[in-house]
Amino acid sequence: MASWNSVPLQITYETFGWIAFFSWSISFYPQVILNFRRKRVVGLNFDFVVLNLTKHSSYLIYNASLYFSSAIQKQYFDKYGYGEMIPVAANDVAFSIHAVLLTAITLFQIVIYDRGNQKVSKISIAIVCAVWLVAAVCFFIALPSHSWLWLISIFNSIQVFMTVIKYIPQAVMNFMRKSTDGFCIGNILLDFLGGVTNYAQMAVQSIDQNSWVNFYGNIGKTLLSLISVFFDLVFMCQHFILYPGNKAHISTKPNKEGAEPLIKSPDDPTSENV
């Protein structure tokens, strides 16, 4: 395994890594605190949370496996060369563990707090079931030949796929409601900082090693940062530019079928403030 050529770059790498860890880790708390204070989760898209749990669980499997397993590390070196460094740091593993825990807590809040007429869509449930079914099939394919690096690369691909789609339901929901009320922007600001510093951490390692294997050897981490930053910018645009200060409203009357009331426009005289 390669060693660092520059102590200042190594320190910079560690610094960026832990800034990303704390930013991403703390980013879960504003939403949890907001839900607790409101005793309701209206405005938080449930599909986002469910997809996020699968995303972080997959990422934890990838990070922990590559960081702790000597057998998988050997397969990585055989593929990319023994002069390269493992592209997973301790802060990546710590973040993944924390992310799974906090996302599970948010999901528990969805179960116990006022949900209004919101629910998890059948599409999201189907996606999650399909993803874990594919993962199970890949496990049995990898088992005979012990192709563990290939297997965890599947989990890495799953987390990239889930990262791409998990933000979409919340972004669409904000657009339909013309409001970000109930969705905490503090999460997004911290997530944005984490994405930028995570990408910077990888760049520092590549500069020190004079090799960009760090990026394509862990394409999941690379895409994770880029996708997260892109959607964070979308959410910041929605919150600060498109719908600043807008409050969502819900009807207090059931619809014709007797179902839960739907979210209505702020101009509707029969609606009330959330």
Side-chain angles (χ1 to χ4, degrees):
M1 180 175 176
S3 59
W4 285 91
N5 298 314
S6 169
V7 173
L9 286 178
Q10 181 180 7
I11 294 174
T12 303
Y13 172 86
E14 296 291 344
T15 301
F16 278 140
W18 287 108
I19 290 176
F21 165 73
F22 284 113
S23 298
W24 272 341
S25 297
I26 296 172
S27 72
F28 290 92
Y29 288 94
Q31 186 68 56
V32 171
I33 294 172
L34 179 63
N35 296 341
F36 175 77
R37 288 178 175 174
R38 299 169 73 223
K39 295 297 186 295
R40 65 187 306 164
V41 289
V42 175
L44 172 63
N45 190 277
F46 301 164
D47 292 349
F48 171 78
V49 179
V50 170
L51 297 173
N52 209 21
L53 183 60
T54 295
K55 172 255 190 286
H56 286 303
S57 298
S58 302
Y59 197 40
L60 173 59
I61 292 172
Y62 172 81
N63 284 332
S65 299
L66 187 52
Y67 187 78
F68 290 110
S69 173
S70 57
I72 296 178
Q73 289 178 1
K74 182 179 183 302
Q75 292 180 15
Y76 181 88
F77 292 138
D78 288 341
K79 181 175 182 178
Y80 295 106
Y82 281 81
E84 301 298 332
M85 300 179 74
I86 293 297
V88 174
N91 62 273
D92 295 318
V93 180
F95 164 74
S96 295
I97 295 173
H98 184 268
V100 170
L101 177 62
L102 266 293
T103 306
I105 291 175
T106 306
L107 192 59
F108 178 69
Q109 289 182 316
I110 290 174
V111 173
I112 64 174
Y113 290 152
D114 176 25
R115 300 184 295 275
N117 67 313
Q118 294 180 214
K119 60 183 179 180
V120 180
S121 71
K122 293 180 180 179
I123 294 178
S124 292
I125 295 175
I127 290 174
V128 169
C129 292
V131 162
W132 287 111
L133 178 60
V134 169
V137 171
C138 289
F139 171 78
F140 287 107
I141 292 176
L143 189 59
S145 59
H146 294 175
S147 303
W148 305 127
L149 182 63
W150 172 79
L151 178 61
I152 67 168
S153 71
I154 296 298
F155 283 101
N156 202 14
S157 299
I158 288 174
Q159 74 90 11
V160 172
F161 170 69
M162 300 306 288
T163 300
V164 171
I165 67 173
K166 73 172 186 174
Y167 292 106
I168 296 175
Q170 185 69 58
V172 172
M173 185 177 184
N174 293 344
F175 172 76
M176 297 298 292
R177 301 165 79 224
K178 297 297 184 289
S179 171
T180 57
D181 186 36
F183 180 64
C184 188
I185 194 61
N187 291 33
I188 300 305
L189 299 176
L190 289 166
D191 188 62
F192 179 76
L193 176 60
V196 171
T197 52
N198 181 65
Y199 200 75
Q201 182 191 33
M202 298 179 69
V204 167
Q205 180 175 327
S206 295
I207 292 171
D208 179 83
Q209 298 295 302
N210 194 28
S211 169
W212 297 100
V213 171
N214 180 46
F215 282 87
Y216 60 80
N218 188 359
I219 191 65
K221 188 175 181 181
T222 304
L223 293 177
L224 170 64
S225 298
L226 294 177
I227 295 169
S228 296
V229 167
F230 170 76
F231 277 101
D232 288 340
L233 290 173
V234 171
F235 288 127
M236 284 188 277
C237 180
Q238 287 181 324
H239 184 82
F240 294 112
I241 300 176
L242 298 179
Y243 322 123
N246 285 10
K247 295 292 183 180
H249 294 69
I250 59 173
S251 170
T252 58
K253 298 179 181 180
N255 58 27
K256 293 181 179 179
E257 290 74 22
E260 290 289 339
L262 300 175
I263 295 174
K264 291 193 172 186
S265 166
D267 298 327
D268 191 326
T270 65
S271 63
E272 68 172 8
N273 203 310
V274 173

PDB file of all heavy atoms in Angstrom, residues 44-64:
ATOM      1  N   LEU A  44     -42.041  16.730   4.772  1.00  0.00           N
ATOM      2  CA  LEU A  44     -40.887  15.863   4.532  1.00  0.00           C
ATOM      3  C   LEU A  44     -41.362  14.697   3.679  1.00  0.00           C
ATOM      4  O   LEU A  44     -42.290  13.980   4.051  1.00  0.00           O
ATOM      5  CB  LEU A  44     -40.320  15.347   5.850  1.00  0.00           C
ATOM      6  CG  LEU A  44     -39.222  14.280   5.757  1.00  0.00           C
ATOM      7  CD1 LEU A  44     -37.983  14.836   5.056  1.00  0.00           C
ATOM      8  CD2 LEU A  44     -38.879  13.745   7.137  1.00  0.00           C
ATOM      9  N   ASN A  45     -40.746  14.500   2.533  1.00  0.00           N
ATOM     10  CA  ASN A  45     -41.179  13.438   1.632  1.00  0.00           C
ATOM     11  C   ASN A  45     -40.737  12.072   2.167  1.00  0.00           C
ATOM     12  O   ASN A  45     -39.551  11.849   2.398  1.00  0.00           O
ATOM     13  CB  ASN A  45     -40.620  13.674   0.229  1.00  0.00           C
ATOM     14  CG  ASN A  45     -41.238  12.751  -0.791  1.00  0.00           C
ATOM     15  OD1 ASN A  45     -40.821  11.610  -0.944  1.00  0.00           O
ATOM     16  ND2 ASN A  45     -42.261  13.236  -1.492  1.00  0.00           N
ATOM     17  N   PHE A  46     -41.671  11.171   2.349  1.00  0.00           N
ATOM     18  CA  PHE A  46     -41.364   9.874   2.944  1.00  0.00           C
ATOM     19  C   PHE A  46     -40.554   8.989   2.003  1.00  0.00           C
ATOM     20  O   PHE A  46     -39.751   8.164   2.452  1.00  0.00           O
ATOM     21  CB  PHE A  46     -42.660   9.162   3.344  1.00  0.00           C
ATOM     22  CG  PHE A  46     -43.501   9.933   4.334  1.00  0.00           C
ATOM     23  CD1 PHE A  46     -44.827   9.596   4.546  1.00  0.00           C
ATOM     24  CD2 PHE A  46     -42.967  10.995   5.045  1.00  0.00           C
ATOM     25  CE1 PHE A  46     -45.607  10.305   5.446  1.00  0.00           C
ATOM     26  CE2 PHE A  46     -43.732  11.721   5.950  1.00  0.00           C
ATOM     27  CZ  PHE A  46     -45.055  11.373   6.148  1.00  0.00           C
ATOM     28  N   ASP A  47     -40.788   9.140   0.702  1.00  0.00           N
ATOM     29  CA  ASP A  47     -39.995   8.376  -0.266  1.00  0.00           C
ATOM     30  C   ASP A  47     -38.513   8.719  -0.135  1.00  0.00           C
ATOM     31  O   ASP A  47     -37.643   7.848  -0.225  1.00  0.00           O
ATOM     32  CB  ASP A  47     -40.456   8.674  -1.694  1.00  0.00           C
ATOM     33  CG  ASP A  47     -41.855   8.135  -1.976  1.00  0.00           C
ATOM     34  OD1 ASP A  47     -42.372   7.367  -1.144  1.00  0.00           O
ATOM     35  OD2 ASP A  47     -42.420   8.492  -3.024  1.00  0.00           O
ATOM     36  N   PHE A  48     -38.240   9.999   0.078  1.00  0.00           N
ATOM     37  CA  PHE A  48     -36.861  10.464   0.261  1.00  0.00           C
ATOM     38  C   PHE A  48     -36.192   9.725   1.413  1.00  0.00           C
ATOM     39  O   PHE A  48     -35.046   9.274   1.310  1.00  0.00           O
ATOM     40  CB  PHE A  48     -36.861  11.975   0.523  1.00  0.00           C
ATOM     41  CG  PHE A  48     -35.545  12.544   0.941  1.00  0.00           C
ATOM     42  CD1 PHE A  48     -34.540  12.775   0.021  1.00  0.00           C
ATOM     43  CD2 PHE A  48     -35.298  12.851   2.278  1.00  0.00           C
ATOM     44  CE1 PHE A  48     -33.310  13.294   0.407  1.00  0.00           C
ATOM     45  CE2 PHE A  48     -34.074  13.378   2.678  1.00  0.00           C
ATOM     46  CZ  PHE A  48     -33.082  13.601   1.734  1.00  0.00           C
ATOM     47  N   VAL A  49     -36.901   9.570   2.525  1.00  0.00           N
ATOM     48  CA  VAL A  49     -36.330   8.922   3.707  1.00  0.00           C
ATOM     49  C   VAL A  49     -36.136   7.427   3.480  1.00  0.00           C
ATOM     50  O   VAL A  49     -35.094   6.859   3.806  1.00  0.00           O
ATOM     51  CB  VAL A  49     -37.226   9.165   4.939  1.00  0.00           C
ATOM     52  CG1 VAL A  49     -36.638   8.478   6.169  1.00  0.00           C
ATOM     53  CG2 VAL A  49     -37.381  10.653   5.205  1.00  0.00           C
ATOM     54  N   VAL A  50     -37.131   6.770   2.887  1.00  0.00           N
ATOM     55  CA  VAL A  50     -37.046   5.330   2.648  1.00  0.00           C
ATOM     56  C   VAL A  50     -35.906   5.004   1.675  1.00  0.00           C
ATOM     57  O   VAL A  50     -35.110   4.084   1.903  1.00  0.00           O
ATOM     58  CB  VAL A  50     -38.390   4.797   2.096  1.00  0.00           C
ATOM     59  CG1 VAL A  50     -38.249   3.359   1.618  1.00  0.00           C
ATOM     60  CG2 VAL A  50     -39.461   4.887   3.175  1.00  0.00           C
ATOM     61  N   LEU A  51     -35.833   5.759   0.591  1.00  0.00           N
ATOM     62  CA  LEU A  51     -34.757   5.544  -0.379  1.00  0.00           C
ATOM     63  C   LEU A  51     -33.397   5.869   0.240  1.00  0.00           C
ATOM     64  O   LEU A  51     -32.390   5.210  -0.050  1.00  0.00           O
ATOM     65  CB  LEU A  51     -34.988   6.408  -1.620  1.00  0.00           C
ATOM     66  CG  LEU A  51     -36.254   6.100  -2.432  1.00  0.00           C
ATOM     67  CD1 LEU A  51     -36.450   7.141  -3.538  1.00  0.00           C
ATOM     68  CD2 LEU A  51     -36.199   4.704  -3.026  1.00  0.00           C
ATOM     69  N   ASN A  52     -33.375   6.867   1.097  1.00  0.00           N
ATOM     70  CA  ASN A  52     -32.133   7.280   1.748  1.00  0.00           C
ATOM     71  C   ASN A  52     -31.601   6.182   2.663  1.00  0.00           C
ATOM     72  O   ASN A  52     -30.387   5.989   2.781  1.00  0.00           O
ATOM     73  CB  ASN A  52     -32.367   8.562   2.552  1.00  0.00           C
ATOM     74  CG  ASN A  52     -31.117   9.409   2.665  1.00  0.00           C
ATOM     75  OD1 ASN A  52     -30.188   9.284   1.872  1.00  0.00           O
ATOM     76  ND2 ASN A  52     -31.098  10.290   3.645  1.00  0.00           N
ATOM     77  N   LEU A  53     -32.495   5.463   3.335  1.00  0.00           N
ATOM     78  CA  LEU A  53     -32.060   4.389   4.225  1.00  0.00           C
ATOM     79  C   LEU A  53     -31.370   3.273   3.438  1.00  0.00           C
ATOM     80  O   LEU A  53     -30.331   2.752   3.857  1.00  0.00           O
ATOM     81  CB  LEU A  53     -33.263   3.832   4.989  1.00  0.00           C
ATOM     82  CG  LEU A  53     -32.937   2.738   6.019  1.00  0.00           C
ATOM     83  CD1 LEU A  53     -31.974   3.259   7.080  1.00  0.00           C
ATOM     84  CD2 LEU A  53     -34.211   2.217   6.673  1.00  0.00           C
ATOM     85  N   THR A  54     -31.935   2.918   2.287  1.00  0.00           N
ATOM     86  CA  THR A  54     -31.301   1.912   1.439  1.00  0.00           C
ATOM     87  C   THR A  54     -29.966   2.409   0.904  1.00  0.00           C
ATOM     88  O   THR A  54     -28.986   1.661   0.836  1.00  0.00           O
ATOM     89  CB  THR A  54     -32.228   1.546   0.260  1.00  0.00           C
ATOM     90  OG1 THR A  54     -33.402   0.920   0.763  1.00  0.00           O
ATOM     91  CG2 THR A  54     -31.540   0.604  -0.712  1.00  0.00           C
ATOM     92  N   LYS A  55     -29.920   3.671   0.531  1.00  0.00           N
ATOM     93  CA  LYS A  55     -28.685   4.265   0.015  1.00  0.00           C
ATOM     94  C   LYS A  55     -27.557   4.193   1.048  1.00  0.00           C
ATOM     95  O   LYS A  55     -26.447   3.742   0.772  1.00  0.00           O
ATOM     96  CB  LYS A  55     -28.937   5.719  -0.395  1.00  0.00           C
ATOM     97  CG  LYS A  55     -27.664   6.499  -0.760  1.00  0.00           C
ATOM     98  CD  LYS A  55     -27.314   7.442   0.372  1.00  0.00           C
ATOM     99  CE  LYS A  55     -26.227   8.409  -0.001  1.00  0.00           C
ATOM    100  NZ  LYS A  55     -24.890   7.842  -0.068  1.00  0.00           N
ATOM    101  N   HIS A  56     -27.848   4.628   2.277  1.00  0.00           N
ATOM    102  CA  HIS A  56     -26.807   4.658   3.304  1.00  0.00           C
ATOM    103  C   HIS A  56     -26.437   3.252   3.783  1.00  0.00           C
ATOM    104  O   HIS A  56     -25.286   3.007   4.147  1.00  0.00           O
ATOM    105  CB  HIS A  56     -27.258   5.525   4.481  1.00  0.00           C
ATOM    106  CG  HIS A  56     -27.216   6.990   4.185  1.00  0.00           C
ATOM    107  ND1 HIS A  56     -26.064   7.637   3.775  1.00  0.00           N
ATOM    108  CD2 HIS A  56     -28.179   7.954   4.237  1.00  0.00           C
ATOM    109  CE1 HIS A  56     -26.309   8.920   3.593  1.00  0.00           C
ATOM    110  NE2 HIS A  56     -27.577   9.132   3.848  1.00  0.00           N
ATOM    111  N   SER A  57     -27.394   2.334   3.790  1.00  0.00           N
ATOM    112  CA  SER A  57     -27.095   0.957   4.163  1.00  0.00           C
ATOM    113  C   SER A  57     -26.136   0.327   3.153  1.00  0.00           C
ATOM    114  O   SER A  57     -25.188  -0.370   3.521  1.00  0.00           O
ATOM    115  CB  SER A  57     -28.391   0.138   4.241  1.00  0.00           C
ATOM    116  OG  SER A  57     -29.248   0.646   5.232  1.00  0.00           O
ATOM    117  N   SER A  58     -26.370   0.583   1.876  1.00  0.00           N
ATOM    118  CA  SER A  58     -25.488   0.070   0.824  1.00  0.00           C
ATOM    119  C   SER A  58     -24.097   0.678   0.932  1.00  0.00           C
ATOM    120  O   SER A  58     -23.084  -0.019   0.777  1.00  0.00           O
ATOM    121  CB  SER A  58     -26.086   0.373  -0.557  1.00  0.00           C
ATOM    122  OG  SER A  58     -27.371  -0.182  -0.693  1.00  0.00           O
ATOM    123  N   TYR A  59     -24.069   1.969   1.202  1.00  0.00           N
ATOM    124  CA  TYR A  59     -22.784   2.673   1.322  1.00  0.00           C
ATOM    125  C   TYR A  59     -22.006   2.173   2.538  1.00  0.00           C
ATOM    126  O   TYR A  59     -20.777   2.064   2.500  1.00  0.00           O
ATOM    127  CB  TYR A  59     -23.039   4.173   1.424  1.00  0.00           C
ATOM    128  CG  TYR A  59     -21.832   5.044   1.150  1.00  0.00           C
ATOM    129  CD1 TYR A  59     -20.930   4.723   0.138  1.00  0.00           C
ATOM    130  CD2 TYR A  59     -21.602   6.202   1.881  1.00  0.00           C
ATOM    131  CE1 TYR A  59     -19.835   5.521  -0.130  1.00  0.00           C
ATOM    132  CE2 TYR A  59     -20.495   7.016   1.625  1.00  0.00           C
ATOM    133  CZ  TYR A  59     -19.622   6.674   0.624  1.00  0.00           C
ATOM    134  OH  TYR A  59     -18.530   7.474   0.364  1.00  0.00           O
ATOM    135  N   LEU A  60     -22.705   1.850   3.624  1.00  0.00           N
ATOM    136  CA  LEU A  60     -22.051   1.304   4.818  1.00  0.00           C
ATOM    137  C   LEU A  60     -21.424  -0.051   4.515  1.00  0.00           C
ATOM    138  O   LEU A  60     -20.283  -0.324   4.926  1.00  0.00           O
ATOM    139  CB  LEU A  60     -23.069   1.168   5.952  1.00  0.00           C
ATOM    140  CG  LEU A  60     -22.576   0.444   7.215  1.00  0.00           C
ATOM    141  CD1 LEU A  60     -21.357   1.159   7.808  1.00  0.00           C
ATOM    142  CD2 LEU A  60     -23.697   0.341   8.242  1.00  0.00           C
ATOM    143  N   ILE A  61     -22.144  -0.899   3.800  1.00  0.00           N
ATOM    144  CA  ILE A  61     -21.615  -2.213   3.436  1.00  0.00           C
ATOM    145  C   ILE A  61     -20.340  -2.057   2.607  1.00  0.00           C
ATOM    146  O   ILE A  61     -19.333  -2.745   2.830  1.00  0.00           O
ATOM    147  CB  ILE A  61     -22.674  -3.022   2.659  1.00  0.00           C
ATOM    148  CG1 ILE A  61     -23.835  -3.377   3.593  1.00  0.00           C
ATOM    149  CG2 ILE A  61     -22.051  -4.287   2.061  1.00  0.00           C
ATOM    150  CD1 ILE A  61     -25.016  -4.003   2.895  1.00  0.00           C
ATOM    151  N   TYR A  62     -20.369  -1.137   1.649  1.00  0.00           N
ATOM    152  CA  TYR A  62     -19.194  -0.909   0.797  1.00  0.00           C
ATOM    153  C   TYR A  62     -18.016  -0.381   1.612  1.00  0.00           C
ATOM    154  O   TYR A  62     -16.910  -0.930   1.561  1.00  0.00           O
ATOM    155  CB  TYR A  62     -19.537   0.079  -0.322  1.00  0.00           C
ATOM    156  CG  TYR A  62     -18.323   0.502  -1.122  1.00  0.00           C
ATOM    157  CD1 TYR A  62     -17.815  -0.312  -2.133  1.00  0.00           C
ATOM    158  CD2 TYR A  62     -17.671   1.705  -0.857  1.00  0.00           C
ATOM    159  CE1 TYR A  62     -16.691   0.058  -2.854  1.00  0.00           C
ATOM    160  CE2 TYR A  62     -16.548   2.082  -1.575  1.00  0.00           C
ATOM    161  CZ  TYR A  62     -16.062   1.258  -2.567  1.00  0.00           C
ATOM    162  OH  TYR A  62     -14.943   1.624  -3.267  1.00  0.00           O
ATOM    163  N   ASN A  63     -18.242   0.685   2.368  1.00  0.00           N
ATOM    164  CA  ASN A  63     -17.150   1.318   3.111  1.00  0.00           C
ATOM    165  C   ASN A  63     -16.538   0.390   4.152  1.00  0.00           C
ATOM    166  O   ASN A  63     -15.311   0.255   4.247  1.00  0.00           O
ATOM    167  CB  ASN A  63     -17.649   2.593   3.794  1.00  0.00           C
ATOM    168  CG  ASN A  63     -17.812   3.748   2.832  1.00  0.00           C
ATOM    169  OD1 ASN A  63     -17.129   3.826   1.811  1.00  0.00           O
ATOM    170  ND2 ASN A  63     -18.723   4.660   3.133  1.00  0.00           N
ATOM    171  N   ALA A  64     -17.393  -0.252   4.960  1.00  0.00           N
ATOM    172  CA  ALA A  64     -16.904  -1.117   6.027  1.00  0.00           C
ATOM    173  C   ALA A  64     -16.156  -2.319   5.456  1.00  0.00           C
ATOM    174  O   ALA A  64     -15.114  -2.729   5.983  1.00  0.00           O
ATOM    175  CB  ALA A  64     -18.066  -1.575   6.899  1.00  0.00           C
TER     176      ALA A  64
END
